Amino acid sequence: MNEPAANPSLIPSPGTLYVVATPIGNLADLTERARAILGAVDLVACEDTRTTGGLLTRFGLHRPLVSYHDHNETEAAEFIAAKIAAGQSVALVSDAGTPAISDPGFRLVRACRRRGLPVIPIPGACAVAAVLSASGLPTNGFLFAGFLIAKTSARTAFLEKYRDFEFTLALYESCHRIDKFAEEIVEKLGPDRVICIAREVTKLHETWLVGRAGDVRDRLLKGSLKGEFVVLIAPADFIL
Ligand code: SAM
């Protein structure tokens, strides 16, 4: 009897970059395709070899790793793209979530595109998409601004610039500034603006605060400020 044909989408092609999403907390969110590609590429380019080495080991996978992070991105992108041009298959991952989304990746993808090399996404977890999808805030359009810079004047300028924006605003925020940011939103956009602050999504201490900015700020300050946060701000006329 003939063996069933292998699913070609689970087998890496030579000379290809795979942009592979990894879980943002819950390891069960690693997709079957991600697992197959990560277990079979010639090389895995990752932010932190210990983090990705740990993830691969959890799934019984063992592939050579190469560092690709904020501090070596420019040189590493050229080095890795040259390997792909020479016929190697490479998976790009970040510490968590989708590479190139507020994470290193863009330069390597661009280096491949400039050389005409194939780049294939292996989609999966992404904090901003997860939070938008379950927030109840409008999702017909949104502006994802990543992390705002820490300077208060820049953050105030952002909130003022987008005060009347017609779509939902989506941001990543660090645990060191989330309380201050919630306060700034109340101050600049008013306590009735509808916002969502989601913490530790897919993890043990997952917490959702959705409602008027003044109430969300008060509830936030009563809970733990540890962990990872996504902030959404609804358009001014939106009522939950
Ligand atoms: N590339 C990642 C992605 O696809 O979401 C984002 C990486 S960025 C360096 C890390 C930020 O994403 C965190 O500071 C937080 O704002 C957000 N984030 C990541 N995981 C999260 C989670 N489980 N819950 C809430 N926010 C999360």
Side-chain angles (χ1 to χ4, degrees), residues 79-99:
F79 171 77
I80 297 164
K83 287 198 173 292
I84 298 168
Q88 295 210 353
S89 57
V90 174
L92 169 67
V93 298
S94 53
D95 284 349
T98 301

Side-chain angles (χ1 to χ4, degrees), residues 15-29:
T16 300
L17 175 66
Y18 292 89
V19 182
V20 182
T22 56
I24 55 169
N26 190 325
L27 289 186
D29 291 336

Side-chain angles (χ1 to χ4, degrees), residues 24 94 96-98 101-103 125-128 147 172-173 198-201 203 228-230:
I24 55 169
S94 53
T98 301
I101 305 299
S102 289
D103 260 339
C126 177
V128 66
F147 289 99
Y172 287 162
E173 186 53 285
R199 166 178 171 254
E200 296 285 272
V201 175
K203 302 187 201 176
E228 300 194 280
F229 293 87
V230 176

Side-chain angles (χ1 to χ4, degrees), residues 45-112:
C46 57
E47 264 191 286
D48 182 329
T49 51
R50 281 163 309 176
T51 303
T52 299
L55 179 76
L56 295 189
T57 305
R58 289 287 293 264
F59 287 92
L61 309 173
H62 304 279
R63 305 308 306 148
L65 304 177
V66 59
S67 274
Y68 176 83
H69 48 66
D70 280 338
H71 305 293
N72 75 352
E73 218 187 329
T74 305
E75 317 85 78
E78 292 305 317
F79 171 77
I80 297 164
K83 287 198 173 292
I84 298 168
Q88 295 210 353
S89 57
V90 174
L92 169 67
V93 298
S94 53
D95 284 349
T98 301
I101 305 299
S102 289
D103 260 339
F106 155 72
R107 286 191 173 76
L108 175 55
V109 173
R110 182 179 61 180
C112 290

Side-chain angles (χ1 to χ4, degrees), residues 30-238:
L30 188 76
T31 68
E32 183 187 349
R33 198 164 162 229
R35 210 168 150 164
I37 294 293
L38 287 173
V41 281
D42 294 314
L43 196 60
V44 176
C46 57
E47 264 191 286
D48 182 329
T49 51
R50 281 163 309 176
T51 303
T52 299
L55 179 76
L56 295 189
T57 305
R58 289 287 293 264
F59 287 92
L61 309 173
H62 304 279
R63 305 308 306 148
L65 304 177
V66 59
S67 274
Y68 176 83
H69 48 66
D70 280 338
H71 305 293
N72 75 352
E73 218 187 329
T74 305
E75 317 85 78
E78 292 305 317
F79 171 77
I80 297 164
K83 287 198 173 292
I84 298 168
Q88 295 210 353
S89 57
V90 174
L92 169 67
V93 298
S94 53
D95 284 349
T98 301
I101 305 299
S102 289
D103 260 339
F106 155 72
R107 286 191 173 76
L108 175 55
V109 173
R110 182 179 61 180
C112 290
R113 291 282 177 209
R114 281 179 172 165
R115 288 169 164 83
L117 298 167
V119 181
I120 305 291
I122 308 293
C126 177
V128 66
V131 172
L132 277 162
S133 70
S135 67
L137 271 58
T139 50
N140 51 327
F142 63 90
L143 174 80
F144 174 54
F147 289 99
L148 295 182
I149 54 173
K151 232 166 118 195
T152 306
S153 57
R155 299 152 72 84
T156 302
F158 176 88
L159 291 176
E160 281 170 359
K161 180 171 177 184
Y162 290 104
R163 181 199 312 273
D164 299 317
F165 192 59
E166 61 187 307
F167 298 117
T168 294
L169 303 172
L171 300 125
Y172 287 162
E173 186 53 285
S174 115
C175 58
H176 307 296
R177 281 187 289 273
I178 188 67
D179 49 349
K180 192 153 178 270
F181 191 42
E183 196 59 60
E184 285 163 350
I185 294 171
V186 174
E187 233 171 69
K188 302 293 170 212
L189 306 182
D192 294 329
R193 188 71 170 246
V194 174
I195 68 169
C196 164
I197 298 185
R199 166 178 171 254
E200 296 285 272
V201 175
T202 79
K203 302 187 201 176
L204 188 61
H205 298 293
E206 177 162 347
T207 312
W208 287 81
L209 303 173
V210 185
R212 296 164 63 248
D215 299 335
V216 167
R217 184 252 340 251
D218 295 346
R219 287 162 61 204
L220 176 80
L221 296 180
K222 285 189 193 133
S224 168
L225 296 176
K226 288 190 189 141
E228 300 194 280
F229 293 87
V230 176
V231 179
L232 306 180
I233 303 172
D237 58 359
F238 177 71

